[in-house]
Amino acid sequence: MKAIIHTRYGPPAVARLTEIAIPVPGDDELLIKVYATTVNRTDCGFRSAEYFISRFWSGLIRPKYKTLGCEFAGEVEAMGKNVSKFKKGDQVFGYNDKKFGGHAEFLTVSENDTVALIPPRLSFTEAAPITEGAHYALGNIRAANVKQGDVVLVYGATGAIGSAAVQLLKHFGAKIIAVCNTQNVSLVKSLGADIVIDYETRDFTDTNQKFHFIFDAVGKSSFKQCKPLLNKGGIYISTELGKHGANVFHALFTPLFSDKKVLFPIPTFKKEDIEFLKVLVEQGEYAPLIDRTYKLEEIVEAYKYVETGKKIGNVVITVREES
Ligand SMILES: NC(=O)c1ccc[n+]([C@@H]2O[C@H](COP(=O)([O-])OP(=O)(O)OC[C@H]3O[C@@H](n4cnc5c(N)ncnc54)[C@H](OP(=O)(O)O)[C@@H]3O)[C@@H](O)[C@H]2O)c1
């Protein structure tokens, strides 16, 4: 089968198209014929090993999992003898950042992992990007314990995480103030933001509004900058470590010494979470934004584009054409 592999860490060009054997499903695994996958910031992080710490999971010297692609959408082609939750022909989507494998014509995944049936009438292209940004957004929103009526600022509302966060916060009944560039103000409004601040014309910190939760979904702000905007008991979360790892440091000490806390939750994603996202998609409350699509053969270009930090939502990779 065709697959993208990388045998060393490095820039987009380390990812190359090659032929490898179709994987054989274990007893509780599905063999999925992949139609669509994505290139996202998680794939970029594991391919480049930009943060050395990621190598403790992905292989200290060389990548353990040579085919990346944590998101996938496809059809169940075969299965192990113990599989009971899915059948051949089922259309499924899912997320796997433990062994990846979506950048290939087939992948195997345990039926007990985060894999679910594609909501009716959704294409593989639409289903593939449901999980990556949304599961980070969901984990952070839950960590901040957002309740109905809470006032929340989402900084970087056009990214995969930020655009999912706006839609999920709407579902949870928050009042959302979102920050993005001029060009995307109406897009972010359409996602459910109550107020949109255009960062090209206004400094988002120049406000009398106080927030229960400030979520920097692109990791460009600092706690110092945002602290005056938080209510007593308010929470700041960033998707990046911050300058010199400041956000991790603050997450250790602010809960002990400050009435305004920084949290740095470890991302988790369970079977019930993917089912939750699936229901939101079915109810029309969440739809991942799709910026561009590339063919599997064009994956280096896709990586380069994602690494500009300019994508709007998600970049989908077409592995095979849908009929
Ligand atoms: N290491 C990992 O494994 C990992 C995994 C997932 C996410 N992350 C981190 O999480 C962050 C978000 O990921 P993502 O995939 O959601 O991001 P993304 O989709 O790459 O975000 C891109 C969007 O953010 C906007 N943006 C960039 N700089 C901005 C700024 N200063 N103010 C407001 N908007 C800005 C861009 O719009 P403009 O045109 O306005 O700039 C663009 O629409 C990234 O920093 C990423 O590195 C890391």
Side-chain angles (χ1 to χ4, degrees):
M1 67 168 182
K2 279 192 218 155
I4 305 296
I5 68 159
H6 72 303
T7 51
R8 61 184 174 90
Y9 296 116
V14 298
R16 60 189 169 84
L17 183 69
T18 188
E19 283 283 330
I20 59 171
I22 295 176
V24 178
D27 289 349
D28 68 347
E29 284 187 328
L30 311 171
L31 175 69
I32 295 166
K33 186 177 178 180
V34 181
Y35 278 80
T37 178
T38 61
V39 165
N40 53 52
R41 299 296 287 254
T42 302
D43 298 320
C44 294
F46 277 78
R47 192 215 66 236
S48 66
E50 178 193 356
Y51 294 115
F52 193 85
I53 194 170
S54 71
R55 296 185 184 217
F56 289 104
W57 289 273
S58 63
L60 220 46
I61 296 173
R62 291 188 183 283
K64 223 179 340 182
Y65 300 108
K66 296 182 178 53
T67 300
L68 291 172
C70 51
E71 290 186 297
F72 57 86
E75 209 167 271
V76 176
E77 175 80 359
M79 63 204 72
K81 64 177 168 41
N82 296 339
V83 168
S84 59
K85 298 185 180 85
F86 297 91
K87 59 180 187 324
K88 186 171 161 50
D90 277 349
Q91 298 196 339
V92 295
F93 73 104
Y95 184 80
N96 188 345
D97 63 3
K98 306 288 176 303
K99 52 177 221 182
F100 295 83
H103 294 166
E105 289 183 305
F106 292 90
L107 68 80
T108 54
V109 64
S110 166
E111 67 163 348
N112 302 313
D113 277 342
T114 42
V115 54
L117 291 175
I118 294 180
R121 292 178 297 283
L122 221 64
S123 67
F124 293 116
T125 300
E126 291 164 323
I130 289 176
T131 51
E132 196 255 0
H135 94 282
Y136 291 122
L138 185 61
N140 289 317
I141 291 167
R142 283 186 176 150
N145 195 20
V146 175
K147 296 182 294 301
Q148 173 95 25
D150 281 357
V151 185
V152 178
L153 182 102
V154 179
Y155 186 80
T158 49
I161 303 174
S163 57
V166 171
Q167 297 176 73
L168 298 183
L169 284 162
K170 183 83 181 169
H171 169 80
F172 291 118
K175 179 177 177 194
I176 307 152
I177 289 91
V179 184
C180 69
N181 64 17
T182 311
Q183 203 186 337
N184 291 301
V185 168
S186 46
L187 172 71
V188 171
K189 257 211 148 111
S190 75
L191 298 177
D194 296 282
I195 298 170
V196 180
I197 298 174
D198 171 0
Y199 76 78
E200 294 185 282
T201 59
R202 206 181 123 196
D203 177 354
F204 77 97
T205 61
D206 185 13
T207 175
N208 294 323
Q209 177 74 58
K210 295 276 188 256
F211 299 93
H212 294 90
F213 174 34
I214 296 180
F215 181 35
D216 180 352
V218 287
K220 301 278 171 147
S221 68
S222 67
F223 178 52
K224 189 175 169 205
Q225 185 186 23
C226 294
K227 193 175 174 189
L229 274 60
L230 287 172
N231 282 323
K232 198 163 184 284
I235 287 169
Y236 172 84
I237 296 180
S238 169
T239 53
E240 287 286 344
L241 300 172
K243 203 173 176 189
H244 307 306
N247 292 327
V248 179
F249 178 80
H250 287 312
L252 292 173
F253 294 105
T254 52
L256 304 175
F257 302 116
S258 174
D259 60 353
K260 297 173 181 181
K261 280 186 281 195
V262 176
L263 301 181
F264 205 86
I266 305 288
T268 59
F269 193 46
K270 300 196 179 113
K271 192 91 174 159
E272 56 265 34
D273 299 328
I274 194 167
E275 290 296 337
F276 171 72
L277 293 179
K278 182 185 155 201
V279 170
L280 292 192
V281 171
E282 283 167 353
Q283 292 172 348
E285 292 185 78
Y286 167 55
L289 294 180
I290 296 174
D291 180 335
R292 294 183 183 182
T293 59
Y294 290 86
K295 294 194 178 113
L296 191 64
E297 294 77 9
E298 300 168 328
I299 204 146
V300 171
E301 292 313 307
Y303 269 122
K304 285 182 185 165
Y305 179 57
V306 170
E307 288 179 9
T308 62
K310 293 281 172 197
K311 72 178 160 70
I312 311 295
N314 301 277
V315 167
V316 175
I317 305 295
T318 305
V319 177
R320 40 166 68 83
E321 295 300 329
E322 308 187 20
S323 50

